[in-house]
């Protein structure tokens, strides 16, 4: 397995996702350890898009607990239904938030975070974890991010 990620230099966001998703799939396919795989997924997304913050919160004892991430330090625990991550968990649906200040109950781990997308990952029809991606720009995520991040989380879900 190669540890190099090929990121096309001039490409659209869709093309970048299309280039990196099969590489991430191959990177995690031979590795059974969940935390190793979550770490590499967070790193690959950070390396490809330079997201302000990207990482995982895992469901543990009825809370979301911080897992592997890339970016500034973050809140460690989030309650069911709280903030964007807790809402993605309670609703079992991706949350696309163009302006975090307009989202009721948003948890500001960093004052620099302006927009956010959170994608749930399912195991046995239950949310097992969420992927959280934050930007320091308003309105930085759209349906393209949702499409490909949900696809990537589907690949991850098939391995857990
Ligand atoms: N803003 C998130 C909390 C997690 S941090 O952004 C890393 C929320 O409202 O759930």
């Amino acid at each position: 397995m190669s540890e190099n990620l090929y990121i096309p230099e001039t490409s659209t966001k869709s093309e970048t996702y299309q280039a990196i998703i099969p590489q991430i799939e191959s990177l995690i396919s031979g590795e059974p350890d969940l935390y190793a795989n979550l770490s590499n997924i967070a790193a690959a997304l950070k390396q490809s898009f330079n997201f302000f913050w990207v990482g995982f919160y895992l469901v543990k004892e009825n809370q979301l607990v911080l897992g592997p991430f890339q970016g500034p330090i973050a809140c460690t625990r989030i309650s069911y239904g709280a903030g964007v991550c807790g809402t993605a968990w309670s609703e079992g649906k991706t949350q696309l938030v163009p302006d975090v200040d307009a989202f009721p109950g948003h948890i500001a781990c960093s004052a620099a975070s302006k927009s956010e997308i959170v994608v749930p990952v399912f195991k046995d029809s239950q949310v097992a974890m969420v992927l959280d991606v934050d930007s320091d720009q308003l309105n930085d995520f759209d349906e393209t991010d949702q499409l490909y991040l949900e696809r990537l989380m589907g690949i991850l879900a098939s391995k857990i």
Side-chain angles (χ1 to χ4, degrees):
M1 183 203 68
S2 159
E3 273 90 26
N4 292 320
L5 187 68
Y6 164 69
I7 305 164
E9 263 177 32
T10 52
S11 61
T12 63
K13 190 158 68 172
S14 299
E15 286 167 341
T16 303
Y17 278 117
Q18 285 165 24
I20 64 161
I21 286 176
Q23 296 180 74
I24 297 174
E25 187 171 9
S26 119
L27 192 61
I28 67 175
S29 66
E31 175 51 64
D33 188 86
L34 177 64
Y35 266 63
N37 288 332
L38 299 184
S39 302
N40 262 342
I41 292 171
L45 291 172
K46 174 78 174 176
Q47 211 179 320
S48 302
F49 295 104
N50 199 25
F51 291 135
F52 175 71
W53 196 94
V54 51
F56 292 90
Y57 282 91
L58 291 90
V59 175
K60 291 184 184 175
E61 291 162 10
N62 217 31
Q63 282 189 314
L64 287 172
V65 182
L66 183 63
F69 70 97
Q70 299 267 320
I73 60 166
C75 326
T76 53
R77 289 173 188 270
I78 297 173
S79 301
Y80 185 77
V84 186
C85 292
T87 302
W89 178 19
S90 61
E91 292 188 0
K93 278 197 317 214
T94 295
Q95 305 294 308
L96 190 51
V97 183
D99 177 359
V100 294
D101 289 335
F103 189 96
H106 167 255
I107 301 164
C109 290
S110 163
S113 177
K114 299 276 188 285
S115 58
E116 181 164 2
I117 182 169
V118 180
V119 180
V121 182
F122 296 89
K123 181 180 185 180
D124 302 329
S125 308
Q126 303 283 322
V127 175
M129 66 190 87
V130 300
L131 170 74
D132 180 15
V133 189
D134 288 26
S135 172
D136 58 4
Q137 308 293 313
L138 281 170
N139 205 15
D140 213 13
F141 304 105
D142 58 20
E143 286 69 23
T144 300
D145 298 286
Q146 178 168 356
L147 175 76
Y148 288 105
L149 292 175
E150 286 180 351
R151 188 173 294 176
L152 181 60
M153 292 305 102
I155 291 168
L156 172 63
S158 69
K159 278 194 54 78
I160 59 175

